[in-house]
Amino acid sequence: MKIKVINPNTTVSMTEKIGAIARSVANPGTTIIACSPDMGPASIEGHYDEALSVVGILDEIRKGEAEGIDGYIIACFGDPGLLAARELATAPVIGIAEAAMHAASFVATGFSIVTTLSRTKIIARHLVDNYGMTHLCRQIRAIDLPVLSLETDSEIKTLILEECRRALAEDDCGAIILGCGGMADLATLISDKLGIPVIDGVSAAVKFTEALVGLQLSTSKTGDLAYPLAKPHTGILSTFTPRRSPN
Ligand code: 2AL
């Protein structure tokens, strides 16, 4: 099966890291295609970045549907454009935040999230509430460093580890979720050091996508996830007019 892992930011080193982690957990018969959109922000750290990233994500989904992709992963912790992507796709689409929270709910009765900048905590909080995970989320923590410092700052691993250690000591949580696609390579290291399940949403999303494809479950085209209605789009969105007819 072919899984397209879309890093919604345009930072190539992060896309490569996310792709490598996805491949390391994928089944032998799974091909991981990791990409970032042609257009979009270099990192996603707020509502504005999220909104601008969605058009590029939808472009990758549209191309993927023509390429025979079996499942998609949106590899940014805000799960930007998730429901819009599901409208465009027949194949399942999974966001890394929802995958991580669901995985955590299987192995613990409470989790904390450790993310990047404090301003992104509200995005995680909205997702926790939307996904019905409020009763499980003990705390949302931030290391207060920008996303791209994950690519450049060698000290950042220690900061994340220390924040996870504080979560374990103070939050009464049984699992920790890493709140950024760029932290995908840190879960095993931190889990080994702290002796607690540490969940990277990219890995969880790969395994959930494989499960859904294995179960022959595709995105429902009944109701609100039906293909978008055909109508003209103007300006720089003129190529985004849906080509498929709605059901
Ligand atoms: C993210 C993420 O996962 N990738 C990105 O560019 N921004 N979200 C976050 N809270 O760090």
Side-chain angles (χ1 to χ4, degrees), residues 114-188:
V114 174
T115 188
T116 51
L117 288 180
S118 281
R119 67 181 294 168
T120 70
K121 291 200 293 184
I122 192 64
I123 293 174
R125 172 56 62 197
H126 288 159
L127 293 181
V128 164
D129 293 345
N130 260 343
Y131 297 153
M133 295 283 171
T134 310
H135 63 296
L136 294 180
C137 183
R138 299 280 183 267
Q139 193 61 261
I140 302 174
R141 293 167 168 269
I143 53 166
D144 249 330
L145 282 175
V147 168
L148 292 186
S149 59
L150 288 162
E151 303 306 289
T152 54
D153 181 350
S154 53
E155 297 300 307
I156 199 164
K157 284 184 189 174
T158 314
L159 291 178
I160 297 166
L161 173 63
E162 289 317 311
E163 198 58 42
C164 290
R165 203 188 294 283
R166 276 192 284 279
L168 179 56
E170 297 169 13
D171 298 351
D172 199 21
C173 61
I176 293 170
I177 291 174
L178 299 179
C180 181
M183 296 179 183
D185 57 333
L186 302 179
T188 309

Side-chain angles (χ1 to χ4, degrees), residues 7-9 14 42-45 75-78 96 115-117 120 147 150 179-182:
N7 171 22
N9 77 43
M14 194 174 287
S43 61
I44 298 166
E45 298 171 313
C76 170
F77 202 78
I96 63 169
T115 188
T116 51
L117 288 180
T120 70
V147 168
L150 288 162
C180 181

Side-chain angles (χ1 to χ4, degrees), residues 17-35:
K17 174 168 56 183
I18 287 169
I21 295 300
R23 277 179 208 106
S24 75
V25 299
N27 288 333
T30 299
T31 303
I32 300 288
I33 299 150
C35 67

